[in-house]
Amino acid sequence: MKYTNPIIPGFYPDPSICRANGRYYMVCSSFQYFPGVPLFESEDLVNWRQIGHVLTRESQLPLEGADCSGGIYAPTIRFHEGRFYMVTTNVSGPGNFYVWTDDIYGEWSEPIRVRQGGIDPSLYFEDGKVYFMSNGDDDKGISGVTQCEIDIETGEKRSPSVCVWQGAGGRYLESPHLYKIKGQYYLMAAEGGTEYGHMVVYAKGPTPYGPFTNYPGNPVLTNRNLGGYVIQGCGHGDLVEDGNGNFWMVHLAFRQIDRWMTFHITGREVYLAPVTFGEDGWFTAGVGGVTPTEVETDRMDGRVEQRLKRRDTFADTKVGVDWCFLRRCHRENYSFPAEMRGSAAPLNRYDFAGQELRLYPTALTLGEKQDSPTFVAIRQRQMRGQIRCRVRVPAGEAGISLYMNHEHHYDLAVERVEEGGRKTCRVRLRSVVGGVSACFVTRECTVPPGAKITLQIGLEPTQYSFSAVFTGDGQESQCALGSLQTRYLSTEVAGGFTGVMVALYAQDETLCGRGEEPAVFTDFEIAYAESD
């Protein structure tokens, strides 16, 4: 069969995978977004369904004050003796910790902290021992992949932290994972930085502490030498064995907006590469050591058909699963279904009431760096398509933001303003780049009295186009507001580790608290083209 990369498109970086009860489970980084650590399930490795998040409570995920690309880094998921474990780092909070659950569809435990430094932690279980690994400095100040043994019930260290490997010679050693395969221990990691020089490297040894010998063909997987190829930045991999004895690697990579334009907007995504072991015990990965867009393989059931979701609406998405918040969810600013309103139910149990979203504005704007504006967002997963949403604004401003971070976003807003002594409505396109509102591309149009407003954004790899449709009295008119280049929302310009989010928001800088009337969003849809 043939499958297409990425297997999970959009901002889902740093994938980690495990197999349990005949299915596969994957987690990814979430940084400053809440809930944290997206959780996916699959039966065949190419079709994935997000079943929720691991960190769904503020007691698990304190993000107050987390800056852009702060928060949760590089989780690892493992399954041992009927229990799932997820270990990660909150760089804006307590550091390294893990949580566990016996029900993958239920709630996870409160965090258990591990007092070893570094980031990108991983767990390995063997013979009653639990090994905790991260990249950082050991107890003697030696930098590299550092490991200790822990008490899995308490997180307390049972041995000193020691450096077991210093990598294959590349910069920014990260994302270590330990495996035992065919009697040998394999230590796999990434080097080169999570950008265009990214690569996967590994070594093998006779014990969990080595000594480790580098694979002679390192890097085992990288696209760094493929100039003019859309997929770049391959690295940060994790291995899994399927039910037929085959090994696979999930890893992150990103897609440029064009083969000759080194910008990417959809963040670091999830890719899949086959892994082949030789008789000498070394393995190779990918197709000739690289990850292509299409992979032909006989290792999967030929009846498996890859299905990528091409449409997002209120009807087929869920708050706390597909949709997330900046840093925390001030629940009083969001109108959820009546039976849930005001309750402390986990966010992944909320559906949209009547396919409608109500957002109560506050004075916090999209330029907020530490607190949480009224903002709920879903990832931009492909580069071609269209976004549509009907918006009603009783006061202040509300609309759709293409949001990379607080200093880089494009906002298509409906504003209620007072002109000539009377209230009127207008639609405005605002570009914020480098924290500065770029006035030369700020455009607006006046809404006909009584008209209903539908905001529209056309998606293309190199540009976004913005417009509004006004309907009323049996008539329809359209106002084109122009186009903006996608590159200014790219990681290469904006920096950080995230991707563009399609955010619905409401704000009113005249308020001292919460607005009395909500902005109302209906008929939301993102329709993606069949191919980028």
Side-chain angles (χ1 to χ4, degrees):
M1 64 92 66
K2 181 186 293 185
Y3 69 85
T4 300
N5 277 310
I7 56 170
I8 303 180
F11 155 53
Y12 293 106
D14 308 325
S16 175
I17 191 171
C18 72
R19 184 171 180 267
N21 304 320
R23 296 188 176 186
Y24 304 93
Y25 297 93
M26 187 186 301
V27 292
C28 302
S29 296
S30 51
F31 295 94
Q32 74 269 36
Y33 290 99
F34 182 90
V37 187
L39 175 63
F40 294 86
E41 180 183 63
S42 175
E43 295 180 354
D44 55 25
L45 285 172
V46 295
N47 294 296
W48 292 88
R49 177 175 70 98
Q50 189 172 350
I51 58 176
H53 287 80
V54 174
L55 305 176
T56 60
R57 305 186 298 275
E58 289 185 27
S59 59
Q60 298 170 314
L61 184 57
L63 289 175
E64 188 173 356
D67 60 11
C68 62
S69 297
I72 293 294
Y73 279 27
T76 296
I77 188 170
R78 293 293 182 257
F79 181 72
H80 178 67
E81 295 183 349
R83 178 167 288 181
F84 292 91
Y85 297 86
M86 189 284 300
V87 59
T88 187
T89 312
N90 184 344
V91 299
S92 304
N96 289 324
F97 69 93
Y98 60 93
V99 293
W100 58 267
T101 187
D102 295 327
D103 177 8
I104 194 67
Y105 307 107
E107 291 291 293
W108 293 65
S109 73
E110 287 298 300
I112 301 172
R113 188 176 178 186
V114 178
R115 298 187 182 278
Q116 175 171 292
I119 59 172
D120 298 3
S122 187
L123 293 173
Y124 174 71
F125 297 83
E126 184 180 60
D127 295 337
K129 293 184 177 181
V130 183
Y131 299 86
F132 178 89
M133 176 178 286
S134 60
N135 60 298
D137 295 338
D138 70 7
D139 289 350
K140 297 181 179 180
I142 301 172
S143 180
V145 174
T146 299
Q147 184 169 267
C148 69
E149 296 169 33
I150 64 169
D151 182 334
I152 197 62
E153 297 296 325
T154 66
E156 293 296 318
K157 290 171 61 174
R158 286 184 165 175
S159 70
S161 297
V162 297
C163 179
V164 296
W165 189 49
Q166 292 186 296
R171 65 176 185 167
Y172 302 140
L173 177 65
E174 59 183 310
S175 69
H177 294 301
L178 184 66
Y179 317 89
K180 188 177 184 180
I181 303 171
K182 301 177 182 179
Q184 289 284 309
Y185 294 88
Y186 293 81
L187 205 173
M188 191 170 75
E191 292 180 337
T194 183
E195 48 203 30
Y196 290 86
H198 215 23
M199 53 187 169
V200 178
V201 297
Y202 76 96
K204 69 175 181 177
T207 78
Y209 289 96
F212 290 101
T213 302
N214 286 342
Y215 169 51
N218 275 328
V220 67
L221 183 78
T222 185
N223 281 24
R224 64 182 181 177
N225 297 320
L226 296 183
Y229 195 71
V230 172
I231 297 174
Q232 296 289 336
C234 297
H236 202 115
D238 196 8
L239 297 179
V240 69
E241 185 178 6
D242 67 18
N244 299 312
N246 302 307
F247 283 85
W248 301 85
M249 182 191 298
V250 294
H251 66 87
L252 68 79
F254 54 80
R255 290 173 291 165
Q256 296 179 176
I257 61 174
D258 180 86
R259 62 179 299 189
W260 302 117
M261 300 178 70
T262 54
F263 303 96
H264 69 282
I265 58 174
T266 53
R268 297 171 298 157
E269 307 170 306
V270 182
Y271 292 70
L272 180 69
V275 170
T276 303
F277 278 83
E279 294 183 0
D280 56 3
W282 298 113
F283 66 81
T284 57
V287 179
V290 305
T291 293
T293 300
E294 292 187 339
V295 178
E296 188 88 40
T297 179
D298 59 1
R299 302 184 188 186
M300 292 182 178
D301 189 331
R303 295 169 294 180
V304 172
E305 181 182 352
Q306 187 179 22
R307 301 175 300 277
L308 291 175
K309 189 179 181 187
R310 293 290 177 180
R311 187 169 176 264
D312 291 323
T313 68
F314 283 158
D316 62 8
T317 57
K318 212 166 194 177
V319 177
V321 179
D322 310 275
W323 296 81
C324 56
F325 306 84
L326 265 176
R327 301 181 187 92
R328 59 174 298 193
C329 172
H330 294 288
R331 297 195 187 200
E332 67 274 14
N333 297 336
Y334 304 86
S335 180
F336 295 125
E339 65 271 18
M340 293 291 188
R341 192 173 300 140
S343 77
L347 283 170
N348 61 7
R349 297 183 188 175
Y350 290 102
D351 293 308
F352 290 100
Q355 299 183 35
E356 176 180 280
L357 176 65
R358 294 171 178 260
L359 301 184
Y360 290 86
T362 71
L364 295 176
T365 72
L366 297 178
E368 176 61 34
K369 296 185 287 186
Q370 294 188 321
D371 205 343
S372 302
T374 302
F375 167 113
V376 60
I378 192 169
R379 289 154 172 83
Q380 180 183 341
R381 294 187 286 107
Q382 304 290 355
M383 287 181 273
R384 294 186 191 273
Q386 186 181 61
I387 305 167
R388 292 173 55 91
C389 191
R390 179 167 287 180
V391 183
R392 179 169 62 83
V393 180
E397 169 188 325
I400 307 172
S401 177
L402 299 175
Y403 183 92
M404 176 57 103
N405 59 43
H406 66 280
E407 290 187 330
H408 295 81
H409 49 94
Y410 295 157
D411 312 324
L412 184 56
V414 180
E415 295 180 306
R416 184 70 63 174
V417 296
E418 186 169 330
E419 291 181 348
R422 66 185 182 88
K423 289 280 188 178
T424 187
C425 202
R426 67 188 179 197
V427 176
R428 169 175 287 185
L429 171 62
R430 177 175 53 233
S431 167
V432 177
V433 176
V436 178
S437 181
C439 295
F440 65 95
V441 293
T442 298
R443 300 168 184 172
E444 61 185 50
C445 58
T446 301
V447 179
K452 295 180 179 179
I453 308 165
T454 298
L455 302 180
Q456 298 184 148
I457 303 175
L459 308 177
E460 295 290 339
T462 60
Q463 69 176 21
Y464 298 113
S465 57
F466 302 84
S467 62
V469 175
F470 309 129
T471 55
D473 296 328
Q475 297 185 347
E476 179 177 290
S477 61
Q478 182 163 327
C479 174
L481 289 161
S483 301
L484 295 171
Q485 295 183 49
T486 61
R487 71 172 69 189
Y488 296 111
L489 299 188
S490 69
T491 300
E492 288 78 7
V493 174
F497 303 120
T498 60
V500 170
M501 307 289 279
V502 179
L504 306 181
Y505 74 97
Q507 63 189 41
D508 188 344
E509 295 183 70
T510 68
L511 294 172
C512 295
R514 192 194 81 165
E516 293 183 1
E517 293 188 74
V520 181
F521 298 79
T522 56
D523 301 320
F524 175 84
E525 179 186 49
I526 306 179
Y528 291 111
E530 286 300 314
S531 174
D532 276 342

